[in-house]
Amino acid sequence: MKNKNIGIIILAVICAGLMAAVAFTLIKGKNGTPGKQEASVDSEEETNQSGIVEEDGQKYKRNTDIKTILFMGVDKDEKADLGNNPGENGQSDSLNLLVINKVEKTAQILQISRDSMIDIDIYDVTGNKLMTEDGQIALQYAYGDGEERSCQLTAGKVSELLYGVDVDSYLSLTLDGLVAATDAVGGITVTVPEDYTAIDPSFEKGATITLNGELAEKYVRKRDIEVLDSNNQRMERQSQFMEALIEKMQGIDDKTEYLSLYQNLDEYMTTNLTAEELEELADYKISEDIVKVPGEIISKDGHAQYLVDNKELKKIVLNLFYKLL
């Protein structure tokens, strides 16, 4: 059943860290273009008008067969406060960029830590830019409208992080969508990998439990902010949860039940993709190996900061988005 395959594929995309997602073939196409940056791979590199860049004696050219889709898991209850200017419209707590090759029909997931440090653009309530402050990439979402504008701003920052690589499309899903998806499929069974009883007493190490929507939200959202790498731990739980959800979805054979699930989630999503564009994803083979933006976690001013290793990230960008000449 093609509809079912589409759902499984999109779930596989998001399982790298998105807090919530299932299939989206019934999503209504929404207009809007994510922010795009026109910068080259790096100002230190020699770039000519043909889009050729040089790095370590090798020449590369942008691969025009590559397109990207940014998947975001959004916590609408989270706020941001940078430069004494609060952002009230949530945070993108998980970010996964699907890199697709339209000719080869292959795809790769690039996982981005929500704590990656970038320059955050701060706007007032009327949309006027006030200033730029150093902050976690997850915070940029808060300074939009909580829907299309927030997605566009976040997509623009992902583009900046990746040296100007275009983010062609986006799709966000809220935590409420996660709860709805979990309850709709009758719960998700997981085996708890570590002791997370601080989050919920039932999350004992080695315990096999079936999560309802309420518990699922705790499992993929909560973390101990006193632990420096707690976001990495949470991302691992998110991945585990989504894999279990994919398996549960594979067991749904009733087309009516499957399409009903799509419809139930529509209100929790924001996207500039049409249903037809999402349907095309069923034709792609997604790599099981997930690429992560490289870096290290430090603690500063009481907050975790993920400092991106730009030298290693540049290699990843050249490998994913460029052709060697």
Side-chain angles (χ1 to χ4, degrees):
M1 180 188 302
K2 190 173 184 181
N3 284 329
K4 181 176 177 179
N5 290 337
I6 296 168
I8 294 168
I9 287 174
I10 297 175
L11 278 170
V13 171
I14 302 172
C15 75
L18 275 176
M19 291 176 293
V22 286
F24 311 113
T25 54
L26 293 187
I27 297 174
K28 298 177 181 178
K30 299 178 183 178
N31 293 328
T33 303
K36 295 182 179 181
Q37 305 296 322
E38 299 300 328
S40 61
V41 170
D42 197 301
S43 60
E44 298 177 356
E45 297 164 356
E46 298 178 4
T47 309
N48 60 32
Q49 295 299 316
S50 64
I52 297 175
V53 300
E54 186 170 344
E55 175 72 16
D56 295 333
Q58 298 282 353
K59 290 186 177 181
Y60 300 83
K61 185 174 183 178
R62 185 70 66 88
N63 187 347
T64 57
D65 297 334
I66 299 297
K67 297 295 180 183
T68 58
I69 304 172
L70 179 63
F71 289 87
M72 291 166 275
V74 176
D75 188 343
K76 287 293 185 73
D77 292 333
E78 290 288 347
K79 300 179 181 181
D81 193 355
L82 290 173
N84 295 318
N85 289 278
E88 303 287 340
N89 290 308
Q91 296 184 19
S92 53
D93 266 356
S94 59
L95 296 163
N96 292 275
L97 189 69
L98 181 64
V99 183
I100 62 176
N101 188 307
K102 300 190 73 173
V103 173
E104 297 178 358
K105 296 297 181 181
T106 57
Q108 175 69 63
I109 298 168
L110 177 62
Q111 188 178 37
I112 303 166
S113 171
R114 53 98 60 213
D115 294 330
S116 299
M117 299 301 293
I118 61 167
D119 291 330
I120 300 296
D121 295 329
I122 299 175
Y123 297 84
D124 63 20
V125 292
T126 63
N128 295 315
K129 184 175 177 180
L130 300 176
M131 64 183 74
T132 298
E133 291 282 340
D134 195 35
Q136 299 157 322
I137 194 170
L139 304 181
Q140 186 62 78
Y141 189 96
Y143 292 95
D145 59 357
E147 295 182 354
E148 285 86 357
R149 181 59 177 162
S150 289
C151 290
Q152 292 163 7
L153 291 174
T154 304
K157 288 306 174 181
V158 169
S159 176
E160 288 183 20
L161 181 68
L162 301 179
Y163 301 101
V165 169
D166 290 339
V167 175
D168 299 296
S169 306
Y170 57 76
L171 188 151
S172 71
L173 190 67
T174 67
L175 272 172
D176 289 339
L178 166 69
V179 174
T182 302
D183 287 336
V185 298
I188 301 298
T189 301
V190 297
T191 300
V192 183
E194 300 293 339
D195 181 10
Y196 293 120
T197 51
I199 297 175
D200 188 274
S202 64
F203 295 167
E204 296 180 348
K205 182 178 180 179
T208 298
I209 56 177
T210 297
L211 305 172
N212 59 18
E214 181 181 357
L215 283 177
E217 180 179 355
K218 289 183 180 181
Y219 198 73
V220 302
R221 178 186 183 187
K222 301 294 184 181
R223 59 174 174 149
D224 185 352
I225 60 174
E226 300 299 325
V227 177
L228 185 59
D229 66 344
S230 62
N231 184 58
N232 285 349
Q233 295 174 354
R234 180 172 63 175
M235 289 169 69
E236 291 300 324
R237 294 199 307 274
Q238 291 167 356
S239 178
Q240 178 200 24
F241 175 86
M242 292 312 303
E243 289 173 0
L245 181 55
I246 290 169
E247 184 176 353
K248 191 68 175 283
M249 294 281 287
Q250 288 174 324
I252 299 177
D253 294 320
D254 188 319
K255 182 177 180 180
T256 301
E257 180 182 352
Y258 212 76
L259 296 183
S260 175
L261 179 58
Y262 299 161
Q263 291 173 319
N264 289 338
L265 292 179
D266 184 65
E267 64 179 291
Y268 304 111
M269 294 182 288
T270 300
T271 186
N272 65 346
L273 287 163
T274 65
E276 290 75 19
E277 288 172 323
L278 281 166
E279 190 171 1
E280 290 177 0
L281 293 179
D283 299 328
Y284 288 84
K285 180 180 180 181
I286 300 176
S287 173
E288 295 180 0
D289 296 324
I290 297 169
V291 177
K292 297 182 180 181
V293 169
E296 64 172 339
I297 303 172
I298 67 168
S299 178
K300 186 175 181 180
D301 300 326
H303 298 285
Q305 297 186 357
Y306 190 79
L307 305 182
V308 174
D309 185 333
N310 288 298
K311 183 177 181 180
E312 291 302 313
L313 177 58
K314 187 187 302 181
K315 294 178 182 178
I316 292 173
V317 169
L318 289 172
N319 181 58
L320 289 178
F321 303 100
Y322 284 76
K323 290 180 178 181
L324 181 63
L325 294 180

